[in-house]
Amino acid sequence: MPVGQMRKNMSENAGFIAALDQSGGSTPGALRHYGIPDSAYSTDAQMFALMHEMRVRVITAPAFTGKKILAAILFEQTMNGLVKDTPVPTYLWREKGVVPFLKVDKGLEPEAVMIKVSIPEKADLYLDLIKHPRVQRVVALSGGYPRDEACERLAKNHGMIASFSRALLEDLRYTMTDAEFDAALAKSIDQIYAASTHKD
């Protein structure tokens, strides 16, 4: 994959990061919120398969493109999965123009390039850091806030973009038709993109 182009997109393009990196501990809750009860699976393999199906539905939706989403953070199992018979990272980059990131929890390398923080109570608290020439991006977690409140807070922080997970997916349900699902995701993407790029 063209790492130089990916780095350029991350540094220069407008947009936000979709955090699709739910792992073992957070997966049951994410599935319940999506409308799949614990009783729908009996093994970890079945649980992760259902989570992968949800992620594939998100990734293949028409609104999920590099026009508004710079990158997607992926759990290791997702990186090794397939979308339409194509490895997930390859599909994201070639078909969607979205940079794939692997979530690393094992401390293999020191942190570099990007800093992920909670949205601060004081607007523009991290502005000096954001303007530092060695900082590529400062990205914000939704911090458990509902999407409307998270976006309202994010819009007050210049230069900060979203890296939302729960807030991105909060309106999506397993029982939705494809049209309903795609419309709900598009609305969420538009709102988070606006908060990441148009500041108060």
mmCIF file of all heavy atoms in Angstrom, residues 23-48:
data_model
loop_
_atom_site.group_PDB
_atom_site.id
_atom_site.type_symbol
_atom_site.label_atom_id
_atom_site.label_comp_id
_atom_site.label_asym_id
_atom_site.label_seq_id
_atom_site.Cartn_x
_atom_site.Cartn_y
_atom_site.Cartn_z
ATOM 1 N N SER A 23 -12.993 -4.663 20.765
ATOM 2 C CA SER A 23 -12.318 -5.946 20.970
ATOM 3 C C SER A 23 -13.132 -6.775 21.956
ATOM 4 O O SER A 23 -14.283 -6.452 22.242
ATOM 5 C CB SER A 23 -10.885 -5.719 21.452
ATOM 6 O OG SER A 23 -10.884 -4.906 22.605
ATOM 7 N N GLY A 24 -12.536 -7.847 22.467
ATOM 8 C CA GLY A 24 -13.280 -8.807 23.275
ATOM 9 C C GLY A 24 -14.139 -8.215 24.365
ATOM 10 O O GLY A 24 -15.319 -8.539 24.480
ATOM 11 N N GLY A 25 -13.574 -7.316 25.171
ATOM 12 C CA GLY A 25 -14.312 -6.788 26.310
ATOM 13 C C GLY A 25 -15.493 -5.916 25.940
ATOM 14 O O GLY A 25 -16.516 -5.920 26.626
ATOM 15 N N SER A 26 -15.376 -5.164 24.863
ATOM 16 C CA SER A 26 -16.439 -4.227 24.491
ATOM 17 C C SER A 26 -17.408 -4.778 23.451
ATOM 18 O O SER A 26 -18.438 -4.175 23.185
ATOM 19 C CB SER A 26 -15.823 -2.927 23.957
ATOM 20 O OG SER A 26 -15.003 -3.184 22.828
ATOM 21 N N THR A 27 -17.093 -5.944 22.888
ATOM 22 C CA THR A 27 -17.920 -6.489 21.820
ATOM 23 C C THR A 27 -19.342 -6.842 22.262
ATOM 24 O O THR A 27 -20.298 -6.477 21.569
ATOM 25 C CB THR A 27 -17.238 -7.704 21.163
ATOM 26 O OG1 THR A 27 -15.992 -7.288 20.615
ATOM 27 C CG2 THR A 27 -18.093 -8.281 20.056
ATOM 28 N N PRO A 28 -19.554 -7.528 23.393
ATOM 29 C CA PRO A 28 -20.935 -7.850 23.779
ATOM 30 C C PRO A 28 -21.822 -6.621 23.904
ATOM 31 O O PRO A 28 -22.970 -6.622 23.444
ATOM 32 C CB PRO A 28 -20.767 -8.571 25.124
ATOM 33 C CG PRO A 28 -19.394 -9.158 25.064
ATOM 34 C CD PRO A 28 -18.575 -8.135 24.322
ATOM 35 N N GLY A 29 -21.296 -5.563 24.523
ATOM 36 C CA GLY A 29 -22.069 -4.334 24.669
ATOM 37 C C GLY A 29 -22.384 -3.696 23.335
ATOM 38 O O GLY A 29 -23.498 -3.198 23.114
ATOM 39 N N ALA A 30 -21.407 -3.706 22.431
ATOM 40 C CA ALA A 30 -21.630 -3.141 21.098
ATOM 41 C C ALA A 30 -22.690 -3.928 20.344
ATOM 42 O O ALA A 30 -23.545 -3.354 19.660
ATOM 43 C CB ALA A 30 -20.316 -3.123 20.319
ATOM 44 N N LEU A 31 -22.662 -5.247 20.480
ATOM 45 C CA LEU A 31 -23.669 -6.078 19.807
ATOM 46 C C LEU A 31 -25.055 -5.861 20.412
ATOM 47 O O LEU A 31 -26.047 -5.775 19.677
ATOM 48 C CB LEU A 31 -23.278 -7.555 19.897
ATOM 49 C CG LEU A 31 -22.135 -8.001 18.981
ATOM 50 C CD1 LEU A 31 -21.752 -9.448 19.286
ATOM 51 C CD2 LEU A 31 -22.508 -7.855 17.505
ATOM 52 N N ARG A 32 -25.132 -5.755 21.741
ATOM 53 C CA ARG A 32 -26.428 -5.496 22.374
ATOM 54 C C ARG A 32 -27.015 -4.178 21.887
ATOM 55 O O ARG A 32 -28.202 -4.083 21.590
ATOM 56 C CB ARG A 32 -26.287 -5.480 23.900
ATOM 57 C CG ARG A 32 -26.167 -6.863 24.525
ATOM 58 C CD ARG A 32 -26.346 -6.807 26.034
ATOM 59 N NE ARG A 32 -25.281 -6.068 26.693
ATOM 60 C CZ ARG A 32 -24.145 -6.616 27.127
ATOM 61 N NH1 ARG A 32 -23.915 -7.909 26.970
ATOM 62 N NH2 ARG A 32 -23.237 -5.879 27.731
ATOM 63 N N HIS A 33 -26.169 -3.148 21.812
ATOM 64 C CA HIS A 33 -26.637 -1.846 21.340
ATOM 65 C C HIS A 33 -27.127 -1.932 19.892
ATOM 66 O O HIS A 33 -28.078 -1.257 19.513
ATOM 67 C CB HIS A 33 -25.519 -0.803 21.458
ATOM 68 C CG HIS A 33 -25.991 0.581 21.181
ATOM 69 N ND1 HIS A 33 -26.612 1.358 22.135
ATOM 70 C CD2 HIS A 33 -25.979 1.331 20.042
ATOM 71 C CE1 HIS A 33 -26.948 2.518 21.604
ATOM 72 N NE2 HIS A 33 -26.571 2.532 20.341
ATOM 73 N N TYR A 34 -26.492 -2.767 19.111
ATOM 74 C CA TYR A 34 -26.861 -2.970 17.710
ATOM 75 C C TYR A 34 -28.147 -3.788 17.582
ATOM 76 O O TYR A 34 -28.772 -3.819 16.522
ATOM 77 C CB TYR A 34 -25.689 -3.675 17.015
ATOM 78 C CG TYR A 34 -25.814 -3.905 15.538
ATOM 79 C CD1 TYR A 34 -26.206 -2.906 14.654
ATOM 80 C CD2 TYR A 34 -25.484 -5.160 15.009
ATOM 81 C CE1 TYR A 34 -26.288 -3.134 13.288
ATOM 82 C CE2 TYR A 34 -25.558 -5.394 13.641
ATOM 83 C CZ TYR A 34 -25.965 -4.384 12.790
ATOM 84 O OH TYR A 34 -26.039 -4.624 11.437
ATOM 85 N N GLY A 35 -28.554 -4.430 18.674
ATOM 86 C CA GLY A 35 -29.796 -5.193 18.662
ATOM 87 C C GLY A 35 -29.608 -6.689 18.647
ATOM 88 O O GLY A 35 -30.559 -7.440 18.422
ATOM 89 N N ILE A 36 -28.383 -7.151 18.899
ATOM 90 C CA ILE A 36 -28.104 -8.592 18.953
ATOM 91 C C ILE A 36 -27.863 -8.982 20.403
ATOM 92 O O ILE A 36 -26.870 -8.576 21.006
ATOM 93 C CB ILE A 36 -26.877 -8.943 18.082
ATOM 94 C CG1 ILE A 36 -27.160 -8.611 16.616
ATOM 95 C CG2 ILE A 36 -26.519 -10.420 18.236
ATOM 96 C CD1 ILE A 36 -25.992 -8.863 15.685
ATOM 97 N N PRO A 37 -28.769 -9.767 20.992
ATOM 98 C CA PRO A 37 -28.636 -10.126 22.413
ATOM 99 C C PRO A 37 -27.537 -11.159 22.637
ATOM 100 O O PRO A 37 -27.098 -11.848 21.707
ATOM 101 C CB PRO A 37 -30.006 -10.716 22.747
ATOM 102 C CG PRO A 37 -30.496 -11.286 21.447
ATOM 103 C CD PRO A 37 -29.971 -10.360 20.368
ATOM 104 N N ASP A 38 -27.115 -11.277 23.882
ATOM 105 C CA ASP A 38 -26.088 -12.263 24.249
ATOM 106 C C ASP A 38 -26.507 -13.681 23.880
ATOM 107 O O ASP A 38 -25.665 -14.537 23.586
ATOM 108 C CB ASP A 38 -25.812 -12.202 25.754
ATOM 109 C CG ASP A 38 -25.230 -10.867 26.188
ATOM 110 O OD1 ASP A 38 -24.986 -10.012 25.316
ATOM 111 O OD2 ASP A 38 -25.022 -10.680 27.399
ATOM 112 N N SER A 39 -27.810 -13.933 23.884
ATOM 113 C CA SER A 39 -28.320 -15.274 23.592
ATOM 114 C C SER A 39 -28.161 -15.670 22.122
ATOM 115 O O SER A 39 -28.367 -16.830 21.771
ATOM 116 C CB SER A 39 -29.797 -15.376 23.979
ATOM 117 O OG SER A 39 -30.568 -14.409 23.253
ATOM 118 N N ALA A 40 -27.769 -14.725 21.278
ATOM 119 C CA ALA A 40 -27.628 -15.011 19.845
ATOM 120 C C ALA A 40 -26.346 -15.771 19.525
ATOM 121 O O ALA A 40 -26.166 -16.236 18.402
ATOM 122 C CB ALA A 40 -27.679 -13.708 19.043
ATOM 123 N N TYR A 41 -25.446 -15.877 20.505
ATOM 124 C CA TYR A 41 -24.181 -16.588 20.275
ATOM 125 C C TYR A 41 -23.766 -17.300 21.547
ATOM 126 O O TYR A 41 -24.175 -16.924 22.645
ATOM 127 C CB TYR A 41 -23.090 -15.626 19.809
ATOM 128 C CG TYR A 41 -22.894 -14.433 20.720
ATOM 129 C CD1 TYR A 41 -22.017 -14.491 21.808
ATOM 130 C CD2 TYR A 41 -23.594 -13.243 20.507
ATOM 131 C CE1 TYR A 41 -21.859 -13.408 22.652
ATOM 132 C CE2 TYR A 41 -23.432 -12.152 21.352
ATOM 133 C CZ TYR A 41 -22.561 -12.236 22.416
ATOM 134 O OH TYR A 41 -22.403 -11.167 23.256
ATOM 135 N N SER A 42 -22.957 -18.332 21.391
ATOM 136 C CA SER A 42 -22.526 -19.092 22.563
ATOM 137 C C SER A 42 -21.008 -19.218 22.669
ATOM 138 O O SER A 42 -20.494 -19.702 23.668
ATOM 139 C CB SER A 42 -23.155 -20.490 22.551
ATOM 140 O OG SER A 42 -22.844 -21.165 21.345
ATOM 141 N N THR A 43 -20.280 -18.784 21.642
ATOM 142 C CA THR A 43 -18.818 -18.845 21.674
ATOM 143 C C THR A 43 -18.241 -17.506 21.263
ATOM 144 O O THR A 43 -18.912 -16.690 20.615
ATOM 145 C CB THR A 43 -18.286 -19.921 20.704
ATOM 146 O OG1 THR A 43 -18.581 -19.518 19.355
ATOM 147 C CG2 THR A 43 -18.906 -21.283 20.984
ATOM 148 N N ASP A 44 -16.982 -17.295 21.602
ATOM 149 C CA ASP A 44 -16.307 -16.062 21.181
ATOM 150 C C ASP A 44 -16.236 -15.975 19.662
ATOM 151 O O ASP A 44 -16.381 -14.889 19.086
ATOM 152 C CB ASP A 44 -14.889 -16.014 21.760
ATOM 153 C CG ASP A 44 -14.876 -15.630 23.232
ATOM 154 O OD1 ASP A 44 -15.943 -15.267 23.769
ATOM 155 O OD2 ASP A 44 -13.798 -15.704 23.845
ATOM 156 N N ALA A 45 -16.022 -17.110 19.021
ATOM 157 C CA ALA A 45 -15.932 -17.115 17.553
ATOM 158 C C ALA A 45 -17.234 -16.636 16.936
ATOM 159 O O ALA A 45 -17.225 -15.830 15.983
ATOM 160 C CB ALA A 45 -15.587 -18.511 17.045
ATOM 161 N N GLN A 46 -18.369 -17.077 17.474
ATOM 162 C CA GLN A 46 -19.668 -16.625 16.956
ATOM 163 C C GLN A 46 -19.874 -15.137 17.233
ATOM 164 O O GLN A 46 -20.389 -14.405 16.383
ATOM 165 C CB GLN A 46 -20.783 -17.455 17.595
ATOM 166 C CG GLN A 46 -20.804 -18.900 17.147
ATOM 167 C CD GLN A 46 -21.782 -19.738 17.951
ATOM 168 O OE1 GLN A 46 -22.159 -19.390 19.079
ATOM 169 N NE2 GLN A 46 -22.199 -20.864 17.386
ATOM 170 N N MET A 47 -19.464 -14.700 18.418
ATOM 171 C CA MET A 47 -19.587 -13.285 18.779
ATOM 172 C C MET A 47 -18.787 -12.404 17.826
ATOM 173 O O MET A 47 -19.295 -11.401 17.302
ATOM 174 C CB MET A 47 -19.103 -13.083 20.220
ATOM 175 C CG MET A 47 -19.097 -11.644 20.690
ATOM 176 S SD MET A 47 -18.440 -11.454 22.372
ATOM 177 C CE MET A 47 -16.673 -11.689 22.071
ATOM 178 N N PHE A 48 -17.527 -12.791 17.582
ATOM 179 C CA PHE A 48 -16.694 -11.991 16.696
ATOM 180 C C PHE A 48 -17.191 -12.034 15.257
ATOM 181 O O PHE A 48 -17.044 -11.061 14.510
ATOM 182 C CB PHE A 48 -15.241 -12.438 16.781
ATOM 183 C CG PHE A 48 -14.548 -11.998 18.045
ATOM 184 C CD1 PHE A 48 -13.977 -12.923 18.905
ATOM 185 C CD2 PHE A 48 -14.478 -10.656 18.389
ATOM 186 C CE1 PHE A 48 -13.349 -12.518 20.068
ATOM 187 C CE2 PHE A 48 -13.850 -10.230 19.549
ATOM 188 C CZ PHE A 48 -13.289 -11.171 20.399
#
